[in-house]
Amino acid sequence: MTMALEIAELSASYGQFRALNGVSISVSQGETVALVGANGAGKSTFLRILCGLMDSWEGQIAVGGTQLARGDPLKSSHLGLALVPEGRMLFGSLTVRENLLIGQTDRDGPWDIDAIERLFPVIKERRNAKPSELSGGQQQMVAIGRALAANPRILLFDEISLGLSPVVVREVYNALSSIRNEGVTLVIVDQDISRVCNVADSVTCFFKGTVTFHGPAKGVTADDLHEAYFGGRS
Amino acid sequence: MIGAGLALNYGILKVLQLAHGEYITYGAFAAVGAIVLFPDLPFPIVLLAAFLACALLGAVAQWLIVERAMSYRDEVVAMLVTFGMAVVLRDSLVEVVGADLRGLSVGRLGQANFTVGGLTLGVLPLLSLGIAVASFGLLAFLTFKTHLGRQIRAVSDLPDIAALVGVPVKRIHVIVAALSAGLAAIAGVLLAMRASVSPFSGLDNLLIAFEVVVLGGLGSIRGVLWAGLLLGMTQVVSTWLDSNAGLFYVHLVFFIVLVFRAKTGRLS
């Protein structure tokens, strides 16, 4: 069986600072992975590398069996990776609908504009608005919609609930179950560890650029994660 | 028109294209060359030929030279590269066509005018205005009503995220550079219809383009349209009042607006 993601001995640095150090993870197709860890643990760097937004890294990354190009976001997109970035990063000069349209690719899949609008009805209501006219929660839904429009094989979420109200977080997490039902592999970074572990199949914990825990989410205890979160176990 | 391509280039590529003045000159000389080779060529074809020739030049320069310079984090690198391009383009033109002044002969069209309500209007200036407005209209349609326009705006907003959603950013850069150079060529043709152009006119044109773009706002096509109209009207009125004024009052208006902005804290 081809893995969705196979990462071996991944290391990356920002100048003198070692952000990732020998990370090795495998993720199956359709699996949902919770990526947890303290600020500066390397989670965002990990996602940036997968998306081709960073080129100074070493190691091996295979996406669906194909080696990932270094620092080439367009090729990452062609491999079926899509990102819901921290801070949403919507195109400010495009309307909500245009943000979705630009996300569309030739890849076949269930996520056309109608399906996305059914998932998040507010997108249809605000389709002609500019992102700056939306609330943070609405912006997050558009960011997810834009990523879904590409019919990705692997969908990456960076700080999925950051800055959102509890009601919106619940709505976003409800949408995740619909997305994973379509067979999309999800990698979710969230500071709300208990919530993200509830929806995940597996949990990976980063500490200072290394993986300190990687295992099934079912059965993982608070003590396991607490220890891994502060670097106590590998 | 002179500033539109420069604004487009900076707005999307974030590169101050110092060869823009040379593209204007090349547009003028492309039209002159087309007329010399094919004297009976209709004007729209001449305009199209100049547009396409400069668009191709702009695209190749972006693809082979500027795109590589843009990979450096320091914006000054790309700007200096375009300065070098400007020097090479100007000297190449001098080498090929010499340093003489050239112009497009428009025959009786140059003097043709008509009167509306006691106001005498020249046909040629109106034709220039019409071509400029049509060019802006087409650019606006392309930018706001097409998929390519969406991609261009996305690249302008967030190039990395645009690439991640599948927008071919480098191809968009080349297309924008081609459009920018093509618009400069149209401006060059319109200039050559009203005045003589030399291979050394690029710097003067670049200066005016900068004034238009700075007044209109770097990267704002709509702002450039208004700034171009303001400076254009200034030139028309000042020439009417003082035929020896040249561009003095245009530069003066630019200076006054800059001082006003500095005083009101809206310089950038």
Side-chain angles (χ1 to χ4, degrees):
Chain A
M1 177 185 170
T2 306
M3 302 298 280
L5 267 178
E6 282 182 293
I7 295 155
E9 292 300 319
L10 178 64
S11 298
S13 303
Y14 296 101
Q16 297 294 314
F17 177 69
R18 193 83 159 159
L20 290 177
N21 194 5
V23 169
S24 299
I25 305 171
S26 293
V27 180
S28 311
Q29 187 62 44
E31 184 178 346
T32 297
V33 182
L35 205 57
V36 300
N39 285 337
K43 310 181 298 291
S44 293
T45 301
F46 179 74
L47 296 190
R48 284 176 61 79
I49 290 171
L50 289 180
C51 294
L53 298 175
M54 190 170 165
D55 54 10
S56 54
W57 54 269
E58 295 149 28
Q60 298 292 319
I61 302 176
V63 180
T66 306
Q67 288 298 313
L68 186 78
R70 209 170 289 265
D72 192 337
L74 188 59
K75 286 198 176 148
S76 291
S77 162
H78 289 160
L79 287 175
L81 284 152
L83 173 72
V84 179
E86 182 182 351
R88 274 72 83 173
M89 302 246 183
L90 296 173
F91 300 115
S93 63
L94 273 59
T95 64
V96 166
R97 185 172 173 79
E98 286 177 323
N99 266 281
L100 299 187
L101 288 172
I102 204 158
Q104 288 184 315
T105 62
D106 296 335
R107 199 177 300 113
D108 289 332
W111 297 107
D112 57 13
I113 301 292
D114 287 342
I116 294 166
E117 287 179 345
R118 278 197 301 276
L119 185 67
F120 296 119
V122 72
I123 288 181
K124 190 171 186 177
E125 292 162 20
R126 306 300 309 273
R127 65 192 336 182
N128 294 318
K130 288 284 174 67
S132 60
E133 299 165 21
L134 305 179
S135 68
Q138 290 170 342
Q139 287 182 13
Q140 183 70 317
M141 291 170 196
V142 178
I144 296 171
R146 180 182 64 186
L148 284 176
N151 280 302
R153 295 191 183 99
I154 303 171
L155 185 49
L156 313 169
F157 296 86
D158 196 2
E159 301 293 0
I160 189 171
S161 65
L162 190 70
L164 303 182
S165 69
V167 175
V168 174
V169 172
R170 205 176 308 130
E171 200 174 339
V172 167
Y173 268 91
N174 286 341
L176 289 185
S177 58
S178 303
I179 298 168
R180 60 183 290 181
N181 286 345
E182 298 294 345
V184 182
T185 304
L186 305 179
V187 179
I188 308 169
V189 172
D190 198 350
Q191 294 295 345
D192 189 341
I193 296 172
S194 60
R195 188 184 288 274
V196 72
C197 287
N198 276 337
V199 300
D201 300 308
S202 64
V203 184
T204 300
C205 185
F206 278 23
F207 177 77
K208 290 186 177 175
T210 58
V211 175
T212 49
F213 181 88
H214 182 66
K218 198 173 181 181
V220 69
T221 65
D223 283 345
D224 289 336
L225 282 180
H226 184 271
E227 207 175 333
Y229 199 87
F230 295 104
R233 198 171 80 176
S234 59
Chain B
M1 275 307 293
I2 280 180
L6 191 65
L8 182 70
N9 205 78
Y10 187 80
I12 313 300
L13 274 63
K14 317 293 183 216
V15 171
L16 272 180
Q17 177 52 275
L18 297 182
H20 189 74
E22 313 311 322
Y23 289 149
I24 295 171
T25 309
Y26 268 61
F29 275 86
V32 170
I35 292 289
V36 169
L37 291 172
F38 308 101
D40 298 327
L41 215 54
F43 175 71
I45 303 295
V46 173
L47 197 64
L48 184 66
F51 175 89
L52 292 176
C54 282
L56 182 64
L57 179 63
V60 171
Q62 178 68 31
W63 181 39
L64 293 180
I65 303 169
V66 183
E67 197 64 35
R68 293 182 188 191
M70 285 170 66
S71 63
Y72 291 87
R73 289 188 191 279
D74 191 345
E75 290 176 14
V76 175
V77 174
M79 196 174 73
L80 287 177
V81 164
T82 65
F83 177 73
M85 275 169 49
V87 173
V88 171
L89 286 172
R90 185 189 61 207
D91 290 351
S92 303
L93 192 61
V94 173
E95 194 64 31
V96 173
V97 303
D100 294 342
L101 289 166
R102 307 287 171 93
L104 275 178
S105 172
V106 290
R108 283 176 296 176
L109 190 64
Q111 280 75 45
N113 59 59
F114 59 95
T115 305
V116 180
L119 189 68
T120 303
L121 298 169
V123 172
L124 189 56
L126 277 179
L127 180 66
S128 300
L129 180 66
I131 292 171
V133 169
S135 301
F136 274 102
L138 283 173
L139 187 62
F141 178 80
L142 176 80
T143 309
F144 295 106
K145 299 291 179 191
T146 66
H147 181 62
L148 176 64
R150 274 198 296 274
Q151 291 184 318
I152 289 173
R153 282 182 286 148
V155 170
S156 173
D157 286 344
L158 297 162
D160 282 345
I161 301 296
L164 192 53
V165 299
V167 177
V169 174
K170 286 181 182 171
R171 194 190 305 164
I172 295 294
H173 284 174
V174 171
I175 290 170
V176 168
L179 276 174
S180 170
L183 285 171
I186 293 175
V189 176
L190 298 181
L191 274 176
M193 287 166 67
R194 302 189 64 186
S196 298
V197 179
S198 95
F200 298 103
S201 302
L203 191 58
D204 290 342
N205 292 330
L206 182 67
L207 184 65
I208 297 174
F210 262 112
E211 289 184 349
V212 170
V213 169
V214 169
L215 279 192
L218 279 169
S220 166
I221 299 294
R222 195 174 292 143
V224 161
L225 179 61
W226 290 114
L229 281 174
L230 172 69
L231 295 186
M233 291 303 289
T234 303
Q235 188 183 4
V236 170
V237 172
S238 64
T239 307
W240 182 52
L241 294 171
D242 176 5
S243 57
N244 295 320
L247 290 171
F248 171 75
Y249 289 102
V250 171
H251 297 322
L252 187 64
V253 165
F254 173 69
F255 179 70
I256 289 169
V257 174
L258 270 194
V259 169
F260 175 76
R261 280 192 183 171
K263 291 278 184 195
T264 54
R266 291 184 294 170
L267 202 53
S268 61

